[in-house]
Amino acid sequence: MTSPQQPQPQPQPEPHDTAAPGAAAPMPPAGAPEPPAQPPAEQPEPRPLAAHPQPEQPPAQAPVPPQAGPAPQEGGPAREAGTMMLQAQQPPAAAPGKEAGTMMLQAQAAPQGAPLPPQGAPKDAGTMTLQAQQPPAAPPQQPPYQPQQAAQPPQQQIPAAWQAAGPGGGAPGYVSPIPVRRTNLGHALASEWTKIRSVRSTLWTLGVMIVLNVGIGLMIALLLSDPYRTADPLLGSAWLGLLLGTLCVIPLGVLVISSEYGTGMIRTTFTACPSRGRVLTAKAIVLFGLTFVITTLSTTLVAVVHAGMLNGPAPTGDQWLRATIGSGLYVAVLSLLALGAGALLRHSAGAISAMLGLVLLPMLLAVFMMTSESLRPVAKAMIEYSIPNSLGALYDQPFLGSGPSGWQPLLILVGVTAVVLGGAYAALEKRDV
């Protein structure tokens, strides 16, 4: 809004001219000539003071009803009311448009009878024009924010066989597109073979057994290879290295199953194969086959070396079978006995200790019991049926002349192992993991 034009300075009135404008003039004295009538003061044209140009369309003028202004204060110059032009602002873009009008404020004549200021005649007031500024351009309206939805993958078409197997279908049940095969003992054997060949305990135990069996057998053959010494039977001393080798096979038989109980892997095994009897059967077959092959090959090598290096009568076919296949079967069955002990005790250290006590303890106790006359028969029976004596009987070289001979020690061990394995099968079915 611009300020009104300042009025030009007027000459000061006479001191006696104190009448207010519009008031009645004093009567002149008698005989005095009448003063000439003064023409009315011309009002200056209103001039807009705003720097902004007027809009193209002439705004509608809304005259304001005249109102009486306040009386001028005494002592100040009298001013006539000026003309004020008010132009309405443009409404915002969103509202319906209206034409901007112009409001004119016209100066009013002073009311009759009002005294003029003593300073002089009234002065013309300027014209003040108020022009509305153009509103700023409204920013373009943006569409409301809509979150972008993630692209959904295309829906897969459901096969007709699956739809038919649904609740509303006519098929008898669900048909899986993946071929389903029923598990059998062959799958369990493949799993157990993968386990036993992938653990380091198998390599260490069987490796040490081979070293003891072959190494000690070769050392004995070198010590007895004297042309003046005769060995009868010729293969009677080939089992000493195998006796120490059995101390390595026993831990292997125990660890095949007890290690899974120790690590909790037995739960996964029984989940993959719920038939626990099938799991134990697969473990027994894999352990028996591996131990039998390794033991038979090593004992055969030792028997061939003894037969070639020692002097004595040639061994018979039965002696060859018992020194090679018989010894291999005996050690393999002994490993199954250790497997049954591990399944019953479910603890590696406890089962290994029990099996080592079964192999070594009868011989040690019998040595001390032989000093007593009353305990001598018991000590003699313990020696005859001990594992070291039974293994020597397969080679026709027992500790005592009495007791099992030939294939009898192997049959006795098979019977004991069958009983222990039967208890292991019953324990697996009744006890939880």
Side-chain angles (χ1 to χ4, degrees):
M1 182 175 64
T2 58
S3 60
Q5 185 178 4
Q6 297 294 334
Q8 298 294 331
Q10 299 290 338
Q12 296 293 334
E14 294 292 336
H16 62 271
D17 190 6
T18 58
M27 296 297 295
E34 294 182 359
Q38 296 181 359
E42 296 181 0
Q43 296 181 355
E45 284 187 10
R47 291 181 301 174
L49 301 180
H52 299 284
Q54 296 291 337
E56 296 181 1
Q57 297 181 1
Q61 295 182 358
V64 179
Q67 296 181 0
Q73 294 182 359
E74 202 170 319
R79 299 174 185 268
E80 291 186 359
T83 302
M84 178 183 296
M85 298 179 66
L86 298 179
Q87 186 173 358
Q89 290 186 353
Q90 294 290 340
K98 296 182 181 179
E99 294 183 359
T102 304
M103 182 172 60
M104 303 290 295
L105 299 180
Q106 299 290 342
Q108 250 183 356
Q112 297 292 331
L116 292 176
Q119 283 81 2
K123 300 179 181 180
D124 293 339
T127 302
M128 182 174 62
T129 303
L130 301 179
Q131 183 177 2
Q133 294 184 356
Q134 295 292 336
Q141 296 185 356
Q142 297 181 357
Y145 172 75
Q146 296 180 356
Q148 297 182 358
Q149 298 181 355
Q152 298 181 356
Q155 297 182 356
Q156 299 180 357
Q157 297 293 335
I158 301 177
W162 294 10
Q163 294 179 358
Y174 171 75
V175 179
S176 174
I178 303 175
V180 178
R181 295 183 300 173
R182 296 181 62 86
T183 57
N184 49 40
L185 183 60
H187 299 140
L189 289 174
S191 174
E192 295 303 327
W193 169 247
T194 302
K195 293 177 185 178
I196 199 171
R197 68 182 175 86
S198 58
V199 295
R200 286 177 288 184
S201 60
T202 304
L203 178 63
W204 282 102
T205 52
L206 293 181
V208 173
M209 187 201 71
I210 294 173
V211 171
L212 292 175
N213 189 13
V214 177
I216 294 177
L218 293 177
M219 290 176 60
I220 293 176
L222 291 175
L223 293 175
L224 298 178
S225 61
D226 189 355
Y228 302 103
R229 180 179 294 181
T230 301
D232 188 20
L234 188 62
L235 305 178
S237 58
W239 62 277
L240 295 178
L242 184 61
L243 178 61
L244 295 178
T246 56
L247 300 180
C248 299
V249 175
I250 289 174
L252 176 63
V254 172
L255 291 175
V256 165
I257 189 169
S258 63
S259 61
E260 294 194 38
Y261 279 104
T263 59
M265 192 66 185
I266 194 66
R267 299 184 181 91
T268 306
T269 302
F270 287 155
T271 301
C273 183
S275 178
R276 300 184 179 185
R278 183 187 302 172
V279 173
L280 186 57
T281 303
K283 289 180 180 294
I285 293 175
V286 171
L287 177 63
F288 179 85
L290 181 62
T291 308
F292 172 74
V293 171
I294 299 298
T295 306
T296 302
L297 291 177
S298 61
T299 53
T300 301
L301 177 61
V302 173
V304 171
V305 171
H306 276 240
M309 295 180 64
L310 300 181
N311 295 327
T316 62
D318 184 64
Q319 289 177 341
W320 274 105
L321 287 177
R322 286 187 279 115
T324 55
I325 297 178
S327 60
L329 289 174
Y330 192 90
V331 175
V333 173
L334 186 62
S335 67
L336 293 182
L337 182 60
L339 175 66
L344 288 174
L345 298 179
R346 301 185 177 186
H347 194 271
S348 300
I352 292 174
S353 301
M355 287 300 301
L356 291 178
L358 180 63
V359 173
L360 302 176
L361 191 59
M363 293 291 295
L364 296 176
L365 291 178
V367 172
F368 294 99
M369 293 170 62
M370 290 292 290
T371 57
S372 175
E373 292 293 336
S374 59
L375 297 178
R376 187 169 296 176
V378 178
K380 184 179 179 180
M382 293 174 63
I383 294 174
E384 291 175 350
Y385 290 95
S386 64
I387 290 178
N389 185 74
S390 299
L391 189 59
L394 289 175
Y395 288 85
D396 294 331
Q397 195 73 21
F399 289 101
L400 300 176
S402 60
S405 61
W407 294 92
Q408 292 179 358
L410 178 60
L411 298 178
I412 294 173
L413 183 62
V414 169
V416 175
T417 303
V419 173
V420 175
L421 282 178
Y425 276 101
L428 283 179
E429 296 295 337
K430 291 183 178 180
R431 293 189 299 187
D432 197 1
V433 295

